[in-house]
Amino acid sequence: MKKVAITVYPRIHMFSLDLSLKNGNMKSGSMGFSLKSSPVRIAVAKSSKRTIKISQKNQNLLEKLEEICAKFQKNQMIDSNFEIKIDAPKYFRNHIGLGLTTQVLGGVLYCLHNLFEIHFDVDYLLKYNVGRVSALGSQLIFNPGWILEKGYKIDKTGEPLHPEFYEYGEFFEKSIEKLRAPNWFAIIAIPELDESLSNKLEDEFWDNIFPDRKKNSLEIIYETFMNLLPAIQESDFERFIQCLRKITAIGTKPCEEAIQSKTTKNALKILRNNYNFASVSSLGPTLYAFSKHNENVPKLKGFNVITINLGEDDETKS
């Protein structure tokens, strides 16, 4: 095989299901969706020299790609070189709550394995430190759209994802609910400059709030399966919004909102006043809200705002 390509997408991480240790492990699990009208196209081809070309400047991602490519060649004992080309949207930045690093690294690893005809499984991503914090991004690489994923399962042959809590290994749960989105609209506010916590600061943030209370996890899981999923399936928008407000008021989401900048908090307030609900994607500062109808969106200082038809994956700029 001379060339392999894959298209991945930025994603919105809406909320986590279970960040307690009720299951004996950090089960996680979450709901989220791909921004399918903002594709990131990845192509990997054999070459005489290893090169990486990204259409948008991103030094941090370039360094991560260099590291992961070198690790792949070492692990698989491959001397042959390859060229990686990545065509990305303009808001192609790390640490803004869109999961772009996971999407790109996972997509490249998929292409490399297939280019050299090596069996690939989503669990392999964990060996390269991809998808260790949240399974959503890794699952969306191969299941783009709107999904509910079930996090991680205990497996004696798995990777040690949380040695601070327990000794056994974990792999991704393969059970995924693919949701058929109603013709509602998602309002996505993408920061122009602000970034989220990363690296050591991000690790310290999670260290301070893990594990979550079991009561919170049980309430979130109940609301998700008994109210949120039926609301989506029955196109009951009011019930959907009411349930999201309950879910994001507990668990780790209030802590994730508390660390945002003044600019992000102001934007969050405006969105909530307009749509009766808004929250941060992952650790932010990207924000998301929903509307039953396509309408003019508010101007938000420090953000670019896009509107997506969840049923059609159409995107319009504000």
Side-chain angles (χ1 to χ4, degrees):
M1 195 173 293
K2 294 183 179 180
K3 182 178 179 180
V4 178
I6 188 174
T7 300
V8 297
Y9 307 92
R11 61 95 183 103
I12 296 297
H13 184 290
M14 295 171 61
F15 60 87
S16 298
L17 289 172
D18 179 10
L19 296 177
S20 73
L21 295 175
K22 176 176 173 53
N23 192 63
N25 69 321
M26 191 67 70
K27 185 70 175 171
S28 192
S30 63
M31 179 179 284
F33 55 90
S34 309
L35 305 186
K36 293 182 70 174
S37 49
S38 301
V40 180
R41 296 182 174 89
I42 301 170
V44 181
K46 291 183 178 179
S47 175
S48 59
K49 183 180 179 182
R50 192 176 82 197
T51 58
I52 301 172
K53 299 178 180 179
I54 307 174
S55 62
Q56 302 287 341
K57 185 178 180 181
N58 191 318
Q59 185 61 34
N60 181 270
L61 181 62
L62 182 61
E63 291 173 2
K64 288 181 180 295
L65 283 167
E66 291 283 5
E67 179 182 339
I68 218 165
C69 288
K71 188 173 181 179
F72 169 80
Q73 287 181 295
K74 180 180 179 181
N75 287 353
Q76 302 298 334
M77 295 182 288
I78 291 174
D79 295 326
S80 302
N81 283 311
F82 42 84
E83 178 186 64
I84 298 173
K85 291 184 178 180
I86 300 172
D87 184 22
K90 68 176 183 179
Y91 46 83
F92 190 70
R93 292 195 293 128
N94 310 73
H95 314 307
I96 60 171
L98 290 177
L100 283 165
T101 301
T102 296
Q103 293 291 302
V104 171
L105 296 183
V108 166
L109 283 167
Y110 166 83
C111 289
L112 286 172
H113 280 79
N114 281 273
L115 182 69
F116 292 100
E117 300 181 349
I118 301 168
H119 174 71
F120 178 83
D121 185 279
V122 66
D123 287 328
Y124 293 177
L125 298 181
L126 297 174
K127 298 180 183 298
Y128 292 87
N129 294 319
V130 176
R132 284 175 170 255
V133 176
S134 168
L136 179 68
S138 300
Q139 298 289 14
L140 281 172
I141 294 171
F142 310 105
N143 302 276
W146 194 354
I147 69 169
L148 178 73
E149 54 83 18
K150 314 298 175 48
Y152 307 91
K153 62 181 178 182
I154 298 171
D155 192 305
K156 64 181 180 181
T157 65
E159 294 295 307
L161 303 186
H162 290 284
E164 70 275 24
F165 294 128
Y166 40 79
E167 296 180 358
Y168 38 78
E170 295 168 275
F171 279 140
F172 294 116
E173 285 280 15
K174 300 303 191 293
S175 174
I176 297 171
E177 305 291 333
K178 298 199 73 171
L179 308 179
R180 184 176 181 180
N183 282 319
W184 299 335
F185 295 85
I187 295 85
I188 312 298
I190 302 170
E192 295 174 348
L193 297 174
D194 281 0
E195 293 183 356
S196 181
L197 303 180
S198 60
N199 301 320
K200 185 178 180 180
L201 288 177
E202 182 179 1
D203 292 340
E204 290 176 352
F205 170 81
W206 290 119
D207 287 344
N208 288 332
I209 64 174
F210 276 167
D212 192 17
R213 296 168 61 194
K214 295 178 183 178
K215 181 180 178 181
N216 286 339
S217 295
L218 287 172
E219 183 69 15
I220 291 171
I221 292 168
Y222 178 87
E223 287 294 333
T224 298
F225 282 90
M226 302 307 290
N227 284 312
L228 192 65
L229 290 180
I232 294 170
Q233 292 162 357
E234 298 170 14
S235 298
D236 187 337
F237 186 75
E238 286 70 28
R239 185 182 180 188
F240 172 72
I241 292 298
Q242 183 181 25
C243 187
L244 276 180
R245 292 182 66 179
K246 288 182 180 179
I247 289 172
T248 55
I250 56 178
T252 62
K253 190 57 68 176
C255 297
E256 293 165 19
E257 292 183 6
I259 62 171
Q260 304 305 315
S261 69
K262 183 178 180 180
T263 299
T264 300
K265 288 178 179 177
N266 286 339
L268 193 57
K269 183 177 180 180
I270 293 171
L271 288 175
R272 284 177 174 158
N273 287 339
N274 278 266
Y275 301 106
N276 203 29
F277 167 79
S279 191
V280 295
S281 172
S282 189
L283 281 181
T286 292
L287 308 174
Y288 72 96
F290 297 96
S291 176
K292 195 172 182 179
H293 308 288
N294 193 7
E295 54 191 52
N296 292 330
V297 297
K299 298 292 184 181
L300 299 176
K301 182 180 179 181
F303 288 84
N304 293 309
V305 184
I306 59 176
T307 303
I308 297 169
N309 185 326
L310 291 168
E312 299 178 0
D313 292 321
D314 287 338
E315 178 180 302
T316 57
K317 298 177 182 178
S318 64

